[in-house]
Amino acid sequence: MSEAVAPRHARHSDGLMRSSYLPRMADALTFAMSTYGIPLLVLTTTRSAAMTGAAFALEWVPRLVAFGWAGSVVDRRGAAVVFHLASLGRALALAAGAVLLHLHPSGAAASATVMVLAAATGVLTQVSYIATETAGAAASRRAGSRAHRVQAVLLGIDQTATLAGPALAGVLLLTGPPSMLAMVTVLSLLAALLALRTPPSPVASARAPKRHAGVGLLTGWRTIRSLPALGWLVAGLTLSNLATGLLQAAGPVIVVQHFGQSTTAVGLVWSAAAAATLLSVTLCRFALDRFGLWPVGAACAALASLGCLAAAQAPDYPSYLVLVAVLMAGDGGMTVVLRTLRSRLIPPEKFGSTLSATILILLLPFPAAGALTALTPPDALGHVITACAALQALGLALAFTRLRTDPALRT
């Protein structure tokens, strides 16, 4: 019997590799390289801190707009179809950008190209992300009792891509913007081709009434308001994300213009941060079993606040890299607490809409951080980051003080 089971498990793992893991690898690496590489590309092309911040905002605003309807499209058309079309569209946009920057490497045409590219890749990347998340959930359901193993592999793929993508984008940018865009184009095209191997996900009936995205978000918002523990934690993390987003948006300006480093050094900052986050998430899984939600969450909040305050005053590049990694390690631990808390508190029949509303609220600070970077003179960025770090510390302290006696966080 064991001889029959082993080949069956081997075939199952091999099928998952082709149908789920390989497409996820290609899309996750494309996601990481475009998210962190496009602001670097804008700074290299325009040499403007304001344009870099504006591009960061342009990346995130379309994502927030897409978030409201992309899920409905995936539900009605299927994850594989939407994943394929979004990846293909992103590849075409990136290829067009590479050609235009090759023909017009500087000037108004180059500036317009990179700004449009930021907006286009932002919305298409968000759509492909929602599609791959849906496909991953479907793969977990098909795995049955091995569902947790599938999710563990998918999470590992995402973190590995976040670890390698920013550094790879920075290195490729040294050879020129067209070269970097060409590589991301190839990865996005590979994701589009591999998406054809993704098993079809269940789709809504053609007769089912179309629901407006706003209805689900309103339901989610009402659910958050009815759960004080979840509401306070989301509020604290939203303020924290403003500081984190500002460091991310201003990162190219700080590292390249203030510390005099290369674009590769910018990527290394976020690769180190991803490694610290992965380590933090692993440690928090054991710490939660031993100490519970509130102590772990409060410790991670203190770590993130201190890391951000210190990063705003970092005297040199090595200390800046370490302190950003400390900040993101704390942020990663708080994310584990949030995921655990919402899985306990949110009613199953409202989980999808509440999850969408939660993520949307947590993402809102990122375009705001881009706009703030665009409006702030480069010499004043340190002061603005310090102010946001203080706001982050105050918000997290207030949130965890209110949550100290909440029954939801006692276990």
Side-chain angles (χ1 to χ4, degrees), residues 76-403:
R76 298 193 67 85
R77 303 300 179 187
V81 172
V82 176
F83 180 20
H84 171 73
L85 293 177
S87 298
L88 185 61
R90 183 176 55 195
L92 293 175
L94 289 164
V99 172
L100 289 173
L101 287 180
H102 177 73
L103 297 175
H104 305 284
S106 61
S111 299
T113 297
V114 293
M115 298 303 282
V116 171
L117 194 60
T121 55
V123 66
L124 291 170
T125 295
Q126 185 62 53
V127 174
S128 71
Y129 172 76
I130 293 174
T132 55
E133 280 291 289
T134 304
S140 296
R141 288 191 293 270
R142 287 192 295 271
S145 60
R146 294 184 298 273
H148 63 285
R149 299 181 184 178
V150 174
Q151 285 298 321
V153 173
L154 294 176
L155 179 61
I157 289 171
D158 290 344
Q159 290 298 325
T160 302
T162 305
L163 188 65
L168 182 58
V171 170
L172 289 172
L173 197 53
L174 293 176
T175 65
S179 300
M180 188 202 80
L181 291 178
M183 176 57 70
V184 186
T185 299
V186 170
L187 287 172
S188 190
L189 186 60
L190 178 62
L193 294 175
L194 291 172
L196 299 176
R197 294 176 173 267
T198 303
S201 59
V203 297
S205 170
R207 297 180 180 180
K210 296 183 178 180
R211 295 180 60 191
H212 295 291
V215 175
L217 293 177
L218 182 59
T219 300
W221 169 246
R222 289 172 176 169
T223 305
I224 293 173
R225 290 185 61 186
S226 69
L227 300 170
L230 182 62
W232 277 108
L233 187 56
V234 168
L237 287 174
T238 301
L239 291 176
S240 180
N241 281 351
L242 179 61
T244 302
L246 187 58
L247 278 175
Q248 187 175 330
V253 180
I254 294 171
V255 174
V256 175
Q257 295 187 354
H258 182 67
F259 292 134
Q261 302 293 318
S262 68
T263 55
T264 305
V266 182
L268 288 176
V269 169
W270 296 106
S271 293
T277 301
L278 186 58
L279 177 61
S280 173
V281 168
T282 302
L283 293 176
C284 281
R285 291 174 183 171
F286 299 102
L288 286 172
D289 291 335
R290 183 175 179 82
F291 301 107
L293 284 175
W294 191 89
V296 173
C300 289
L303 187 66
S305 299
L306 293 173
C308 191
L309 284 167
Q313 307 296 326
D316 51 37
Y317 172 74
S319 60
Y320 177 81
L321 182 148
V322 171
L323 291 169
V324 170
V326 169
L327 161 65
M328 296 309 297
D331 185 78
M334 288 189 293
T335 301
V336 175
V337 173
L338 173 65
R339 287 175 178 266
T340 305
L341 185 64
R342 71 189 183 197
S343 66
R344 291 183 181 181
L345 296 181
I346 300 175
E349 66 275 10
K350 298 179 180 179
F351 191 88
S353 58
T354 308
L355 177 63
S356 297
T358 300
I359 295 176
L360 183 60
I361 293 170
L362 293 174
L363 291 182
L364 284 174
F366 286 94
L372 195 57
T373 302
L375 296 173
T376 303
D379 294 340
L381 277 174
H383 301 297
V384 175
I385 293 173
T386 300
C388 289
L391 185 63
Q392 172 197 36
L394 180 62
L396 289 175
L398 180 60
F400 279 94
T401 298
R402 295 296 297 265
L403 292 172

